[in-house]
Amino acid sequence: MYDIVCSLVIYKNERSQLLDAIDSFLNTDLNVKLVLIDNSPSNILEDLKIDYRVEYIHNPSNPGYGTTHNIAIGKYSNQTKYHLILNPDIYYGKGVLEDIIAFMNGDDTIGLVMPKVLYPDGKIQYLAKLIPTPFVFFARRFLPLQSLKKRFRINSS
């Protein structure tokens, strides 16, 4: 059993940025697994498998961000209690993963957590968004954006 499995979807990303994200995730004493799923046309990033805890999957069909994460989630869902979805531009400080897991283990009613995200200068990035209403789901599917802007006088500038 892994303490946490992480999936990182990559597509023609900068190598240095990916290495920073990989290094920050692996900078732990936890039993972790990092699954790099490369949707790029070629497997030129395969050499990013820099550690025995990293698995590289080349998936040039590029089915999309969410579908690609589901590959790793499905593969490791019976080998871990926690799965982390990581973006290539996210970096963790030492001890952050341990704190998140301790928090999650402390309350069985928690099913999802999003840590505080900071800019490199230490200021908070406000990322939380409201859950869309049923009207918003309907509008996104059936109403053209321009008619919504006119109806609700939305200024896109």
Side-chain angles (χ1 to χ4, degrees):
M1 273 302 265
Y2 293 104
D3 294 318
I4 188 167
V5 173
C6 172
S7 56
L8 176 59
V9 173
I10 55 181
Y11 181 81
K12 298 181 181 179
N13 296 86
E14 279 187 39
R15 183 175 303 279
S16 62
Q17 183 184 51
L18 291 170
L19 287 171
D20 288 343
I22 292 167
D23 289 342
S24 74
F25 177 77
L26 296 176
N27 188 17
T28 182
D29 294 327
L30 295 170
N31 183 20
V32 299
K33 182 69 165 186
L34 173 61
V35 184
L36 298 175
I37 306 174
D38 188 358
N39 285 344
S40 304
S42 72
N43 65 344
I44 196 165
L45 297 171
E46 186 172 13
D47 63 343
L48 291 172
K49 187 178 185 267
I50 58 173
D51 187 286
Y52 71 94
R53 298 172 291 175
V54 178
E55 176 181 357
Y56 176 87
I57 299 172
H58 185 231
N59 188 37
S61 65
N62 194 6
Y65 182 78
T67 300
T68 304
H69 278 293
N70 286 338
I71 293 168
I73 293 169
K75 184 172 183 177
Y76 287 98
S77 64
N78 63 346
Q79 297 178 46
T80 187
K81 187 175 174 183
Y82 302 114
H83 190 94
L84 174 69
I85 301 218
L86 186 62
N87 287 341
D89 61 345
I90 301 295
Y91 317 112
Y92 289 88
K94 180 80 171 152
V96 170
L97 290 175
E98 290 84 352
D99 290 345
I100 291 171
I101 289 176
F103 177 76
M104 296 290 289
N105 285 338
D107 186 343
D108 287 340
T109 65
I110 298 171
L112 178 69
V113 67
M114 181 177 159
K116 182 184 342 178
V117 179
L118 306 174
Y119 289 105
D121 66 1
K123 292 182 183 171
I124 296 175
Q125 274 191 45
Y126 293 100
L127 304 174
K129 296 181 180 183
L130 296 176
I131 297 173
T133 65
F135 172 77
V136 170
F137 279 120
F138 177 82
R140 286 180 184 165
R141 174 67 177 97
F142 296 107
L143 300 176
L145 183 59
Q146 291 304 319
S147 67
L148 283 176
K149 286 182 178 180
K150 284 180 187 175
R151 180 178 174 132
F152 295 105
R153 296 186 180 134
I154 299 171
N155 185 355
S156 53
S157 55

